[in-house]
Amino acid sequence: MRTATTRTDDRTRTALSRLEPGEAVVLPFLVLLALLAALRPSAVGHPDSRSALAASAALATLWCAAAAWCPVWHGRRSHLTGHTRGLLALALCLLLYPSLRWAVPMLHPARYDAALAGADRWLFGGRDPLTSLEPLMHPTLTAALCWVYFCLWVPPLSLAVVLAVCRRHRELSDLILALTLGHCAGFAGYFLLPAIGPWYELADRFTVSIDGNWWIAHYRAHNNNVDAFPSLHIATTTLVGLLAWRDCRPLLWLLSPLLVAIGVSTLYLRWHYVVDVLAGLALAVAVRLLAPRLNAAWPRTRPELPRPAPARQRHHVPL
């Protein structure tokens, strides 16, 4: 006799065999971080890391509960279910970000700031390109660009709302998946080439200080210190620009000043090297090409659902 536990396990296995593409990309990072946290719990020391790990576990538990008990979760694809699962995968991806503070050093304790700064000098004939921005620096401009840098998610949210209101479900699914793929690819870059950023590596080369800004000090206190290469700010804004060009050009023109300002802020505020920006641009182009194709091809890789058995016909016996 099948128990409730057995039925739940069967539902979970069925859901795992029918993962959405965003879920399939996020799941390896979730498993990796869970294993690392189990092997060395003491490494999760920063409050941001503990909160992020707890929130990730809660969201993963919610996913498992929905996969096991929600009848439509692994049923035939609907727009509402697809978007819900895509957004849940993206939210889980973003919650994993603070955990990189401790997870990356466990696997790759080196820092590649010197190599990235050297690549910048090679590109610019032996000069540090970020020092060339110092004549432009002013406290008011610094404060404005700090707020701009903080507004990273305004463009993607704006495009998502427009696509949802216009019922452009395929385009909205592409956007959600592209953001998930881009961030997971960025996380892979942090594991391969962890780096803090120019504000740390080139501190002795700057003659104009921006350290007095409260927002910068707050951001550095909560920075995970491995997220320079590639620049996900550049990747996200470029990706939104490319998809908006395809799906909603009027919105692109409206968002263009903010998209450009976010790109400028990554260098002005000394968060990223120029090579980080170039890597972010390349990542955005690659994800823009991959996400729609993956969304279109993914249903063909999923197993067919069993068709419901026909209802029994009742035979009426004449009295």
Side-chain angles (χ1 to χ4, degrees):
M1 184 176 181
R2 293 169 61 82
T3 64
T5 302
T6 303
R7 289 194 296 270
T8 300
D9 292 342
D10 289 345
R11 293 191 188 101
T12 303
R13 282 193 293 269
T14 300
L16 288 173
S17 70
R18 296 185 58 80
L19 290 173
E20 294 294 323
E23 296 167 343
V25 173
V26 174
L27 185 59
F29 287 95
L30 178 64
V31 172
L32 174 63
L33 293 178
L35 289 175
L36 292 177
L39 289 173
R40 195 185 302 173
S42 59
V44 192
H46 195 278
D48 291 349
S49 300
R50 291 197 297 268
S51 299
L53 198 61
S56 301
L59 200 58
T61 302
L62 176 63
W63 185 93
C64 292
W69 296 105
C70 183
V72 301
W73 189 258
H74 50 270
R76 298 198 179 277
R77 185 184 179 99
S78 69
H79 295 310
L80 179 59
T81 303
H83 295 331
T84 300
R85 293 178 65 173
L87 289 172
L88 193 62
L90 177 58
L92 183 56
C93 177
L94 298 178
L95 283 175
L96 295 178
Y97 172 81
S99 295
L100 301 179
R101 170 192 291 271
W102 57 268
V104 171
M106 283 183 66
L107 296 181
H108 199 173
R111 290 291 183 271
Y112 289 86
D113 286 275
L116 296 175
D120 272 10
R121 295 189 197 103
W122 179 80
L123 289 173
F124 288 87
R127 296 188 57 187
D128 290 306
L130 298 188
T131 60
S132 302
L133 299 176
E134 290 188 317
L136 304 176
M137 291 185 169
H138 187 275
T140 302
L141 180 58
T142 300
L145 288 179
C146 284
W147 282 106
V148 164
Y149 193 83
F150 184 73
C151 291
L152 170 65
W153 284 95
V154 170
L157 286 174
S158 301
L159 181 57
V161 168
V162 170
L163 295 176
V165 170
C166 296
R167 298 180 181 274
R168 301 181 65 179
H169 299 292
R170 179 180 63 83
E171 291 83 357
L172 179 57
S173 180
D174 288 346
L175 173 64
I176 296 172
L177 177 58
L179 292 171
T180 305
L181 289 175
H183 278 75
C184 286
F187 295 170
Y190 301 158
F191 275 101
L192 291 173
L193 292 173
I196 299 176
W199 66 269
Y200 174 83
E201 177 65 20
L202 305 178
D204 58 339
R205 295 174 178 261
F206 294 125
T207 59
V208 178
S209 174
I210 59 174
D211 297 346
N213 184 280
W214 174 87
W215 188 91
I216 291 178
H218 176 78
Y219 189 87
R220 289 180 182 176
H222 293 271
N223 186 28
N224 63 24
N225 296 327
V226 297
D227 60 350
F229 183 90
S231 170
L232 284 181
H233 270 67
I234 294 295
T236 300
T237 53
T238 305
L239 186 57
V240 170
L242 293 173
L243 291 175
W245 174 264
R246 183 193 72 173
D247 301 328
C248 187
R249 293 188 187 179
L251 180 65
L252 173 60
W253 305 133
L254 183 64
L255 292 175
S256 290
L258 179 58
L259 295 175
V260 172
I262 291 174
V264 171
S265 70
T266 62
L267 297 175
Y268 179 98
L269 298 176
R270 301 165 180 171
W271 298 127
H272 290 285
Y273 305 96
V274 173
V275 290
D276 302 340
V277 171
L278 297 178
L281 290 171
L283 174 59
V285 173
V287 170
R288 162 63 182 88
L289 296 174
L290 175 62
R293 290 169 172 79
L294 185 58
N295 251 342
W298 193 263
R300 295 195 293 270
T301 68
R302 292 153 48 121
E304 288 292 332
L305 285 173
R307 295 184 178 277
R312 288 185 177 180
Q313 295 182 354
R314 294 183 179 179
H315 299 281
H316 297 281
V317 179
L319 298 176

